C-alpha cells in the first residue's frame, strides 16, 4: 500500500484539510484526516476539456507523456484537424495510438469535416461515418464541436442527421457558436447543443449560461478570454 500525505483539496465538499491518502492496487482505499501541518497540496487530476491534439504536433501517446507531468490525467479531444486531412483513417489512428497511454482520452466524432459546405478539405466525415464511430469505438464519447451553426439554423439535412445520431446514442453535442445571440442562439441550443467555447465577451457568455449552456473558458496561445469571463465562475462554477 502506498501513502501520500498533504493538504487534501476536496473539490466536492469545497474543503481543504490535512490528511493521508492510502492507495492499494492503483485505487484510493482510504482518506484519513490528520492534525499534521503540510506545505504541499494533493488535488484531483486535471481534465483538459477541449483540445485538438494534432495542434501539438504530437501523437496522443507523446502528448500524454508531457501532459501528465503537469497534472493532466484526461483529455477531451476533437480530432477534426487530422480528419480534415485523412478522414476516418486519421481518427482511427488517433484512437489506436491513445491506447498506448494510461492517460484517459475521450474522443469526439467530428461533426464538421469540412467545417462548412463552403470550406474544401482533404476528406469528408458524413453521417454514416459518424454512425460508424459511435457504434464501433468506446472511446468516442460525443459529437464534436458543431462549427456549422448556419447548417443548424437552416435545418441542413446532413447536419441534422448527425445531431439525430448523437441523440440516438445518447451522446453529448459540443458547440462552437461565436457571437450567436437571440433567436438564432435559442434555436442552436434547442437542437441539443450543450456547450460553447467561443464566448469572447461577458455579455455573450451570460446569455448562453441563462439558456442552459455550459461555457468553456480558454486561455491559450490563440484564444484568451480568461480575464473577460472568470468573474462569471463565482456564481456559475458548475456550468463553466
Amino acid at each position: 500500500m502506498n501513502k501520500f500525505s498533504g493538504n487534501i483539496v476536496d473539490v466536492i465538499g469545497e474543503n481543504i484539510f490535512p490528511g493521508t491518502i492510502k492507495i492499494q492496487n492503483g485505487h484510493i482505499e482510504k482518506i484519513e484526516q490528520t492534525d499534521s501541518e503540510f506545505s504541499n497540496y494533493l488535488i484531483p487530476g486535471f481534465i483538459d476539456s477541449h483540445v485538438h491534439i494534432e495542434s501539438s504536433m504530437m501523437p496522443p501517446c507523446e502528448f500524454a507523456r508531457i501532459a501528465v507531468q503537469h497534472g493532466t490525467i484526461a483529455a477531451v479531444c476533437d480530432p477534426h484537424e487530422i480528419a480534415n486531412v485523412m478522414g476516418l483513417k486519421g481518427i482511427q489512428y488517433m484512437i489506436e495510438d491513445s491506447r498506448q497511454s494510461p492517460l484517459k482520452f475521450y474522443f469526439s466524432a467530428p461533426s464538421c469535416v469540412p467545417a462548412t459546405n463552403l470550406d474544401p478539405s482533404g476528406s469528408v466525415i458524413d453521417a454514416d461515418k459518424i454512425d460508424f464511430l459511435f457504434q464501433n469505438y468506446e472511446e468516442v464519447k460525443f459529437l464534436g464541436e458543431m462549427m456549422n451553426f448556419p447548417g443548424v439554423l437552416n435545418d441542413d439535412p446532413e447536419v441534422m442527421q448527425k445531431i439525430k445520431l448523437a441523440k440516438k446514442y445518447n451522446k453529448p453535442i459540443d458547440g462552437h457558436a461565436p457571437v450567436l445571440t437571440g433567436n438564432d442562439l435559442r434555436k442552436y441550443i434547442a437542437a441539443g447543443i450543450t456547450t460553447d467555447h467561443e464566448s469572447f465577451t461577458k455579455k455573450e457568455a451570460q446569455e448562453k449560461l441563462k439558456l442552459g449552456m455550459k461555457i468553456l473558458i480558454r486561455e491559450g496561445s490563440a484564444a484568451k478570454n480568461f480575464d473577460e469571463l472568470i468573474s462569471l465562475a463565482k456564481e456559475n462554477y458548475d456550468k463553466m
Side-chain angles (χ1 to χ4, degrees):
M1 178 178 288
N2 293 317
K3 297 181 181 180
F4 299 92
S5 297
N7 295 300
I8 297 171
V9 180
D10 177 5
V11 296
I12 303 298
E14 299 181 3
N15 186 28
I16 300 175
F17 59 89
T20 297
I21 298 175
K22 297 180 178 180
I23 297 176
Q24 185 78 36
N25 298 324
H27 295 278
I28 295 174
E29 290 286 324
K30 193 174 184 180
I31 298 176
E32 294 179 338
Q33 187 166 350
T34 69
D35 295 325
S36 304
E37 292 186 5
F38 300 102
S39 60
N40 63 309
Y41 289 82
L42 303 177
I43 67 174
F46 296 121
I47 300 173
D48 191 325
S49 58
H50 181 83
V51 64
H52 305 288
I53 291 175
E54 306 95 306
S55 294
S56 72
M57 307 303 287
M58 291 185 286
C61 62
E62 282 299 300
F63 172 88
R65 187 173 63 84
I66 303 300
V68 295
Q69 297 180 47
H70 300 282
T72 298
I73 62 169
V76 181
C77 318
D78 186 350
H80 75 70
E81 293 176 348
I82 196 169
N84 267 314
V85 179
M86 296 182 63
L88 190 60
K89 287 183 179 179
I91 300 170
Q92 290 170 315
Y93 164 76
M94 296 293 280
I95 294 172
E96 289 163 7
D97 183 84
S98 75
R99 291 171 179 168
Q100 301 179 54
S101 169
L103 188 141
K104 296 179 175 68
F105 287 96
Y106 304 107
F107 287 95
S108 79
S111 69
C112 298
V113 178
T116 70
N117 57 7
L118 304 175
D119 185 23
S121 73
S123 191
V124 174
I125 301 295
D126 59 16
D128 288 342
K129 290 174 182 173
I130 296 288
D131 196 7
F132 173 83
L133 289 167
F134 282 151
Q135 284 196 60
N136 291 281
Y137 289 93
E138 195 272 336
E139 294 95 338
V140 176
K141 302 291 187 180
F142 65 105
L143 185 65
E145 56 179 301
M146 183 50 74
M147 294 178 284
N148 188 6
F149 60 84
V152 177
L153 300 181
N154 293 298
D155 299 310
D156 179 274
E158 181 72 11
V159 169
M160 300 315 292
Q161 179 61 19
K162 292 174 181 178
I163 290 174
K164 184 178 179 180
L165 285 167
K167 293 177 179 178
K168 174 184 174 181
Y169 293 105
N170 198 30
K171 305 288 187 180
I173 305 169
D174 190 25
H176 175 114
V179 304
L180 206 61
T181 187
N183 289 332
D184 286 346
L185 177 61
R186 291 184 183 92
K187 181 170 183 178
Y188 186 77
I189 295 171
I193 299 162
T194 57
T195 68
D196 184 73
H197 57 266
E198 291 288 344
S199 295
F200 292 100
T201 68
K202 185 175 180 179
K203 182 179 178 181
E204 181 181 359
Q206 282 176 317
E207 183 179 9
K208 291 171 180 175
L209 284 165
K210 287 178 181 178
L211 292 172
M213 274 192 142
K214 289 183 168 60
I215 297 297
L216 279 63
I217 293 178
R218 295 193 296 173
E219 189 70 16
S221 56
K224 298 181 182 293
N225 58 22
F226 180 88
D227 289 340
E228 180 70 19
L229 303 183
I230 190 59
S231 63
L232 293 171
K234 187 172 182 179
E235 294 184 359
N236 302 280
Y237 64 88
D238 58 332
K239 298 177 183 175
M240 297 187 73

